[in-house]
Amino acid sequence: MKRILLAEDEEVLRMLVVDTLEDEDYEVDEAADGMEAVQLLESNTYDLIILDYMMPGYTGLEIIEKIQSSEIKNQGKILMLSAKSQQFEQERILEAGADYFMSKPFSPLKLIEKIEVIMHETESLLY
């Protein structure tokens, strides 16, 4: 079973995404802010990390910086969610170290499609 961390401070959106992912048989840990996400990352390993761009505690970018600086052990791919959908913001997010970007708002179906592509790419690299 693939393990995902979802760090999203909007409770309704977080609950919707968690329910959708669990329906697709993913094991999901959830964090309501950046501090909680960092605590989970320090003690667990994930196949995919889904980060909200703007969260209290640490932003998604600050969490990526912690992962890249080895403050947090090696993790899987990173998908950044953001309402900041301008091209320069997307480029900034990807240059910072996110592997994928998805604009808010999004449909749960589109998120699942994106995650399936990410997981398939990850599996392909292992073989």
Side-chain angles (χ1 to χ4, degrees):
M1 181 179 285
K2 298 288 185 180
R3 190 165 189 195
I4 296 174
L5 171 63
L6 171 65
E8 169 62 59
D9 62 325
E10 294 179 44
E11 185 178 4
V12 173
L13 178 58
R14 189 175 65 250
M15 289 171 36
L16 175 66
V17 172
V18 168
D19 288 347
T20 302
L21 292 172
E22 287 177 344
D23 286 347
E24 295 294 320
D25 292 327
Y26 290 106
E27 181 181 340
V28 184
D29 288 344
E30 56 185 293
D33 60 42
M35 297 288 280
E36 190 176 354
V38 167
Q39 289 172 346
L40 288 166
L41 287 165
E42 288 173 339
S43 58
N44 300 288
T45 302
Y46 297 95
D47 298 293
L48 176 64
I49 303 163
I50 304 173
L51 298 173
D52 183 19
Y53 182 77
M54 295 300 296
M55 291 183 290
Y58 293 109
T59 66
L61 289 180
E62 290 170 329
I63 293 170
I64 289 172
E65 289 172 7
K66 287 184 167 297
I67 292 169
Q68 290 179 335
S69 70
S70 300
E71 287 182 49
I72 298 172
K73 63 186 169 193
N74 190 23
Q75 297 287 342
K77 299 290 183 182
I78 299 170
L79 169 61
M80 183 77 75
L81 305 175
S82 178
K84 296 178 179 274
S85 59
Q86 297 89 353
Q87 185 65 33
F88 76 92
E89 285 290 347
Q90 290 181 34
E91 290 171 5
R92 179 173 172 227
I93 289 166
L94 295 172
E95 287 171 6
D99 299 293
Y100 306 92
F101 174 86
M102 190 166 203
S103 296
K104 287 180 175 181
F106 55 85
S107 76
L109 181 60
K110 288 290 184 194
L111 178 63
I112 290 298
E113 288 174 4
K114 183 82 163 178
I115 290 171
E116 291 295 324
V117 167
I118 294 168
M119 293 301 189
H120 180 73
E121 288 175 358
T122 304
E123 288 174 359
S124 297
L125 295 174
L126 298 175
Y127 299 106

